[in-house]
Every structure is written in structure tokens, then in C-alpha cells.
RNA sequence: GUGAUUGUAGCUCAGCUGGUUAGAGCGCCUGACUGUGACUCAGGAGGUCGCCGGUUCGAACCCGGUCAGUCACCCCA
């Protein structure tokens, strides 16, 4: 076994029938994005390393230790994308799209992060996300959250909870940072090792600590509320009013801080407890400074990313295996002559029918063929054996109703009609 | 990156304090049955017990390493 080549750690093969679930989800995603007026953007899987260093933030974990970075043969530093927002903004900048007013894009595809794998956390993961640029007002925040929530809601996920928070802008966030430093620094020695590290790097993260030692200091820490500037306060209040009016349930969670540097004001996550520690299915927020930091015009923007693996896991946990209704036709030709007549008929049926047409080419008994029809979950069987051959007929069996009909052999249109599908 | 835990057939799992030829159920193939499929019965295929090394007369079992999964931390989708 060890001599066999296996999929790299943290990656997975998606095989039938699971791949069909992926395809179905992706179709619903494309349809949802289209209904919200978003256009798909496809960007390269690898980019210049510099893009992520500047776009995601030099001191983030993603950039510091999780990127798949290498030099290509031209000695360019290349990185497999660990997220989509920076690449999408780079592409928009490159194609001068910001000069054309507000924009709405979405994306679906793989991302790569070198992390220790566990359930719901992979080195190659897939994300769906949207970016809405050009609107500074809370309507855009609402729209993006509503889109994410619609995806969750339409799948009947009752377990999911929307958490929202505001982390201020470049006026009040530095103030909050100072307030936190002033609060925690005198007790630095008493904090957990992780939090001592966070103190210098990202003090907001201390609020999220699960360590007992930090707990007392976290509960007495100043709230963002106390330093929030008026503009941010109004923005957040307006967003909440929109959510209330739309009937989208949420909780304000001051611990939602997000790990990427570019967020401003609104941040949100959709959390599910069925996923254990990897509880965030979807996370996003506003990032008004990112485009400018990449060298573009000052452009307000808001977006989110949703993890497809985690989303599918939630669906599994909530709905389990859903029994698929029978669909399709199993063509059964008993003997060489029958097969020779059936093969061209099958080809024609595959052109005419929306449902799948199955056929097995081996010499088997009728019984074995019918078992295959069951395995394929086919609704109908077309049986052509020596009797039918002699009579110039074809048996159409409804495998669910257990009824037979005999139709003239030859025209695919007759078969389609017998299957209740009008030919187009 | 830190700590813990698991690894036996395609899948789910048994396998006693180390004992010689490693099992079950499901699935798969064949037959009972060239003509009616979710049933039944009979037979069959499929394993270097994750991998490497050590201890031992003898290892699926004990020890070390390694790879992979899982859980928590970290972080995030």
C-alpha cells in the first residue's frame, strides 16, 4: 500500500455519487448568484505571491505560514491562491472595471492553505463567494448577507446562526486597538502564551480566546461600542434595521473579528454547531481599504466566502441520505442480434430524452440485467429478447409499477412516448 | 505548528493475557433460473492486518519510527 501513490494530505477525491451532489449544489449557487445580479469571475489558481502579501496582510497566519509558495522556472515567486478576494480585486483592477461604477461578482473554485487537516479543514478546499464593490452604504452589506442567508435558508438549515459585528474603520479601529492594549498590557504576564502573542499582533483576537486564564480580562475589556465613531455606529444600525425588516435572524457577536487584515466595519459569520470546532460555514464583511492598498482607486466593497465542503457536511448532518426517485431507462438486449438493434436505438434515445439511458453490453440473463437496472435506479427497462425479436416488438417495463407494455420495435419516438416523454 | 487518539476485505467492524491456516455482515461475481428485477438458498473472488524497523522460538496484537484519518488547540471556509 505504501508504495502506491495516494492523494496528498488534506486533499480528497470527489467520486460518484458524491460528485453529483457537488454538481447540484454548484448549479444552485450559479442560479442564486444570477438572481442577485452577480456575474461569475474566474481567475488563475496561482498568482504572484506579492498579491497575497499585500492584499491579505503580511502578519496574517495565511500569509505567514499557510501559503503554497514556490518559484517557477522564470524565478517568479508564485502562490496557489489561499483565498479569492485579492485575486478578484486584482483582476478588476487589471481590467479597469472600477472605472465603470458599482460591480457585482461571484466565484466558485478551489483554494489552498497549508494547514493541519481535520474534518471540515482541508489543504485544498472549495469556496463560493461574492464581492460587491462601489457602494459605501449599508444596503450593500445587507445585500451580501441576504444572498448568503438565502443560500443557507433555501437548504432548510435550521442549525445555522448569523453572527454580525462591526470592527470600525480607520478612524475608530486604531482607537479601539489602543484601548485594548491599555487594558491588557498591564496584565500581559498573566495572559496565556497565545494571547501574549496576540497582544502585539492582533489584540482583537484576545477577545476570542478560549483559554481560562484570559477569561477574567476579556470580560472586563472595553467594548467596541465605547469607541465606535458616529459614522460606523450609524452604518451598523442601518444594516441591522435592514436585517430586521427582512426578517433575517441574527445575533450581534462582539467576538467576531475575522482573521484577514482587510476588513472594516461590518464583519459576519454563519456558524453551525454540527461542524464541531470548524464551525464557520461562511464568513465575510466590508473591506473599504483593500482596493486602494492594491494600488487602485479608493473603492468601498463588501463580500463573503462560503466553504463548500463544510456546507455539504451541514447538509449531510441535517438531512442524511436522501432517497433519489427512480429515473432513467435500462436498455436490455438479450443476445447479439438484439444488442445490434438496441445500440442505435439507445443512441437516438440519448439524444431525445432528458433522463439517463443505461445499457450493459455483456451476455447476461434477463435477471442479471434487471438487477443492474435496480442498481442504476432506473425507472424503466426496455427488454428485447428472442420473443420480442420474432414479434417485432419491444417490452417497456415500468420497474416501479411493475407493469409491461409492448410497443412496435424500431422507432425511438414510440419509446419516448411510451416513457411519457414527448420528443422535442 | 502543539497535544491526544485511531488505522484489519470495496464498506462497517470482530479478532481473548502474542500461538501457527485472519473472520462476520453488507456489497461484488456465479449458480439454483435464458424470460420478470428490491426476497430466498448455495458457491466463489477479494487481505503482504497502513508502511518500515525492533523485541520474541513465534507479532494483526508488544516497542520505536513513519504515513494517513479523526478530536481539541492554533487558525479559518
Amino acid at each position: 500500500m505504501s508504495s502506491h501513490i495516494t492523494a496528498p494530505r488534506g486533499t480528497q477525491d470527489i467520486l460518484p455519487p458524491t460528485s453529483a451532489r457537488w454538481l447540484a449544489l454548484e448549479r444552485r449557487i450559479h442560479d442564486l448568484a444570477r438572481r442577485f445580479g452577480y456575474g461569475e469571475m474566474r481567475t488563475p489558481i496561482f498568482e504572484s505571491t506579492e498579491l497575497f502579501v499585500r492584499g491579505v496582510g503580511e502578519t496574517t497566519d495565511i500569509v505567514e505560514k499557510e501559503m503554497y509558495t514556490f518559484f517557477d522556472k522564470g524565478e517568479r515567486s508564485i502562490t496557489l491562491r489561499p483565498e479569492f478576494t485579492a485575486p478578484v480585486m486584482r483582476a478588476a483592477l487589471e481590467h479597469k472595471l472600477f472605472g465603470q461604477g458599482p460591480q457585482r461578482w461571484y466565484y466558485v473554485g478551489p483554494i489552498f492553505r497549508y494547514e493541519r487537516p481535520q474534518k471540515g479543514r482541508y489543504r485544498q478546499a472549495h469556496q463560493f463567494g461574492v464581492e460587491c464593490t462601489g457602494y459605501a452604504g449599508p444596503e450593500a452589506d445587507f445585500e451580501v448577507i441576504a444572498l448568503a442567508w438565502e443560500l443557507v435558508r433555501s437548504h432548510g438549515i435550521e442549525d445555522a446562526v448569523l453572527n454580525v459585528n462591526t470592527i470600525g474603520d480607520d478612524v475608530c479601529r486604531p482607537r479601539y486597538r489602543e484601548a485594548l492594549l491599555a487594558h491588557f498590557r498591564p496584565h500581559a504576564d498573566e495572559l496565556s502564551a497565545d494571547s501574549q502573542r496576540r497582544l502585539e499582533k492582533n489584540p482583537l483576537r484576545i477577545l476570542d480566546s478560549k483559554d481560562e486564564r484570559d477569561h477574567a480580562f476579556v470580560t472586563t475589556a472595553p467594548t467596541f461600542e465605547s469607541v465606535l465613531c458616529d459614522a460606523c455606529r450609524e452604518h451598523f444600525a442601518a444594516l441591522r434595521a435592514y436585517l430586521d425588516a427582512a426578517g433575517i435572524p441574527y445575533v450581534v457577536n462582539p467576538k467576531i473579528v475575522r482573521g484577514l487584515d482587510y476588513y472594516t466595519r461590518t464583519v459576519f459569520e454563519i456558524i453551525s454547531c454540527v461542524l464541531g470546532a470548524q464551525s464557520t460555514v461562511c464568513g465575510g464583511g466590508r473591506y473599504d481599504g483593500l482596493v486602494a492598498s492594491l494600488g487602485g482607486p479608493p473603492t468601498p466593497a463588501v463580500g463573503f466566502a462560503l466553504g463548500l465542503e463544510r456546507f455539504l457536511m451541514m447538509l449531510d448532518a441535517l438531512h442524511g441520505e436522501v432517497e433519489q426517485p427512480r429515473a432513467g431507462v435500462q436498455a436490455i438486449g438479450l443476445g447479439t442480434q438484439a444488442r445490434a438493434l438496441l445500440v442505435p436505438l439507445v443512441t437516438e434515445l440519448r439524444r431525445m430524452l432528458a433522463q439517463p439511458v443505461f445499457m450493459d453490453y455483456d451476455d447476461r440473463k434477463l435477471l442479471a440485467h434487471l438487477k443492474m437496472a435496480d442498481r442504476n435506479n432506473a425507472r424503466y427497462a426496455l427488454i428485447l429478447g428472442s420473443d420480442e425479436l420474432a414479434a417485432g416488438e419491444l417490452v417497456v417495463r415500468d420497474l416501479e409499477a411493475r407493469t409491461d407494455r409492448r410497443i412496435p420495435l424500431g422507432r425511438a419516438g414510440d419509446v419516448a412516448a411510451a416513457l411519457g416523454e414527448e420528443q422535442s
Side-chain angles (χ1 to χ4, degrees):
Chain A
M1 282 296 265
S2 71
S3 61
H4 289 134
I5 297 171
T6 56
R9 185 166 203 210
T11 68
Q12 49 193 172
D13 301 311
I14 301 169
L15 313 173
T18 306
S19 51
R21 299 183 55 229
W22 278 80
L23 187 58
L25 174 60
E26 285 158 8
R27 283 189 175 142
R28 292 190 294 271
I29 282 170
H30 287 292
D31 183 59
L32 175 70
R34 188 187 55 78
R35 284 187 283 125
F36 271 73
Y38 285 66
E40 187 188 14
M41 193 183 279
R42 301 190 188 196
T43 62
I45 278 180
F46 57 87
E47 297 270 359
S48 293
T49 301
E50 182 63 15
L51 173 65
F52 301 110
V53 174
R54 278 166 58 188
V56 178
E58 215 160 346
T59 61
T60 59
D61 275 23
I62 290 178
V63 171
E64 274 184 348
K65 47 194 187 192
E66 296 178 0
M67 295 204 303
Y68 278 90
T69 297
F70 59 94
F71 286 97
D72 70 7
K73 290 181 194 291
E75 292 180 28
R76 287 170 280 254
S77 181
I78 296 294
T79 294
L80 263 34
R81 68 178 172 219
E83 59 108 53
F84 271 94
T85 299
V88 165
M89 294 306 130
R90 189 229 85 222
L93 221 44
E94 192 165 334
H95 297 92
K96 312 268 192 278
L97 302 180
F98 291 119
Q100 302 177 31
Q103 303 280 337
R104 291 174 170 90
W105 305 295
Y106 75 99
Y107 55 80
V108 189
I111 58 150
F112 305 86
R113 292 182 194 173
Y114 190 86
E115 295 184 275
R116 184 136 163 199
Q118 60 190 75
K119 191 185 288 267
R121 187 165 89 175
Y122 306 99
R123 290 182 172 178
Q124 174 173 340
H126 296 77
Q127 291 188 342
F128 156 58
V130 309
E131 316 290 356
C132 176
T133 68
Y135 294 112
E139 294 81 5
D141 307 48
F142 167 73
E143 174 180 298
V144 157
I145 291 174
L147 197 163
W149 188 252
E150 176 61 18
L151 183 66
V152 169
R153 196 205 57 78
S154 67
H155 285 83
I157 297 173
E158 287 147 27
D159 166 69
V161 179
L162 171 64
N163 286 249
V164 298
N165 190 27
T166 180
I167 57 170
D169 58 12
D170 48 12
V171 175
C172 52
R173 181 134 61 138
R175 287 211 300 252
Y176 189 51
R177 196 185 142 90
E178 287 312 312
L180 285 179
L181 287 176
H183 174 75
F184 286 118
R185 237 183 211 137
H187 310 288
D189 294 346
E190 301 161 72
L191 295 171
S192 65
D194 278 332
S195 287
Q196 290 184 27
R197 186 174 47 78
R198 291 178 182 117
L199 196 55
E200 300 311 320
K201 202 172 133 185
N202 188 355
L204 270 70
R205 277 249 161 253
I206 300 177
L207 299 175
D208 198 18
S209 173
K210 289 163 191 162
D211 197 295
E212 287 286 324
R213 283 168 291 179
D214 301 332
H215 192 250
F217 304 108
V218 169
T219 51
T220 57
T223 62
F224 216 128
E225 195 67 29
S226 61
V227 296
L228 212 51
C229 67
D230 288 344
C232 286
R233 188 184 308 275
E234 281 165 28
H235 186 95
F236 193 46
L239 167 63
R240 291 170 62 178
Y242 277 121
L243 291 172
D244 289 334
I248 295 176
Y250 63 91
V251 296
V252 175
N253 182 349
K255 292 179 176 176
I256 301 288
V257 293
R258 311 292 303 153
L260 284 64
D261 280 358
Y262 51 61
Y263 286 108
T264 52
R265 291 192 169 171
T266 308
V267 290
F268 71 95
E269 293 184 3
I270 295 175
I271 291 171
S272 161
C273 64
V274 306
L275 299 169
Q278 312 305 318
S279 59
T280 303
V281 191
C282 170
R286 179 165 280 282
Y287 48 96
D288 291 342
L290 177 62
V291 176
S293 77
L294 291 175
T299 308
V302 55
F304 72 79
L306 175 133
L308 296 189
E309 282 84 357
R310 290 186 187 178
F311 192 69
L312 252 7
M313 282 167 63
M314 274 175 66
L315 294 183
D316 274 350
L318 263 44
H319 304 309
E321 292 293 301
V322 184
E323 203 167 312
Q324 293 298 315
R326 283 179 173 274
V329 188
Q330 180 85 33
I332 301 175
L334 269 16
T336 311
Q337 202 187 344
R339 266 204 303 276
L341 285 169
L342 227 35
V343 166
L345 182 66
V346 162
T347 307
E348 213 171 327
L349 285 174
R350 283 173 172 160
R351 268 200 293 264
M352 294 175 70
L353 302 179
Q355 53 189 311
V357 181
F358 309 100
M359 183 169 178
D360 177 78
Y361 303 127
D362 289 336
D363 275 315
R364 297 176 202 278
K365 297 178 177 177
L366 178 63
L367 196 118
H369 274 112
L370 287 167
K371 278 184 179 164
M372 297 190 97
D374 272 333
R375 209 184 309 161
N376 289 328
N377 205 29
R379 171 72 194 270
Y380 300 98
L382 296 181
I383 304 169
L384 182 59
S386 47
D387 293 358
E388 291 82 6
L389 227 36
E393 291 181 326
L394 195 56
V395 169
V396 179
R397 173 170 305 160
D398 184 328
L399 294 168
E400 203 165 82
R402 293 171 164 262
T403 55
D404 281 6
R405 290 176 58 184
R406 299 181 86 86
I407 60 168
L409 172 60
R411 291 187 40 238
D414 294 340
V415 179
L419 301 179
E421 244 184 83
E422 296 305 319
Q423 60 267 47
S424 49

